[in-house]
Amino acid sequence: QVQLVESGGGLVQDGGSLRLSCAASGRTFSTYAMGWFRQAPGKERAFVARISSSGLSKSYEDSVKGRFTISRDNAKHTLYLQMNSLKPEDTAVYYCAAQEKSGLPYNYWGQGTQVTVSS
């Protein structure tokens, strides 16, 4: 069982930056691949970024490539998402999630943190 708690959301102006954190409970954090997802008002939840358990492999949704960076600190059981050059269309609730096995659905989800980008 893994419990995930996101933090770091807030209100930022167009072009600004935020860093989201996701604190994980349990000693098995380093065995999970981790992902960030977001859900904008009236839309389905969508993939943002993923990082392998070791941190060596990363992937991003096309619209955030070059602006967002996913990282993790396995010693601190924490996942991060550095978001730069934010745009109003990045406004959403951001969720972190843990994945036991590649290709299978994510097993555990956080409660989400709101990111609002004003124009």
Side-chain angles (χ1 to χ4, degrees):
Q1 185 79 13
V2 176
Q3 292 185 325
L4 304 172
V5 179
E6 302 96 335
S7 61
L11 175 64
V12 64
Q13 290 188 335
D14 191 354
S17 297
L18 282 175
R19 187 175 84 154
L20 304 183
S21 298
C22 172
S25 66
R27 296 181 293 177
T28 58
F29 175 74
S30 62
T31 67
Y32 291 90
M34 298 295 296
W36 285 101
F37 294 77
R38 64 186 178 185
Q39 187 167 19
K43 296 186 177 181
E44 294 187 352
R45 189 163 55 190
F47 169 78
V48 175
R50 179 185 182 275
I51 188 168
S52 63
S53 58
S54 66
L56 295 179
S57 176
K58 303 177 184 181
S59 60
Y60 299 91
E61 189 270 328
D62 285 347
S63 70
V64 307
K65 286 180 181 177
R67 300 189 298 123
F68 291 10
T69 302
I70 189 171
S71 62
R72 66 190 297 162
D73 185 332
N74 284 343
K76 294 183 178 179
H77 294 187
T78 304
L79 173 73
Y80 303 100
L81 185 68
Q82 178 66 45
M83 306 186 294
N84 298 328
S85 302
L86 282 162
K87 305 174 182 180
E89 51 264 43
D90 294 316
T91 294
V93 177
Y94 283 71
Y95 300 88
C96 64
Q99 184 186 44
E100 286 188 352
K101 293 186 178 181
S102 179
L104 295 181
Y106 284 74
N107 303 85
Y108 305 103
W109 293 83
Q111 83 291 347
T113 186
Q114 176 70 47
V115 171
T116 303
V117 184
S118 63
S119 57

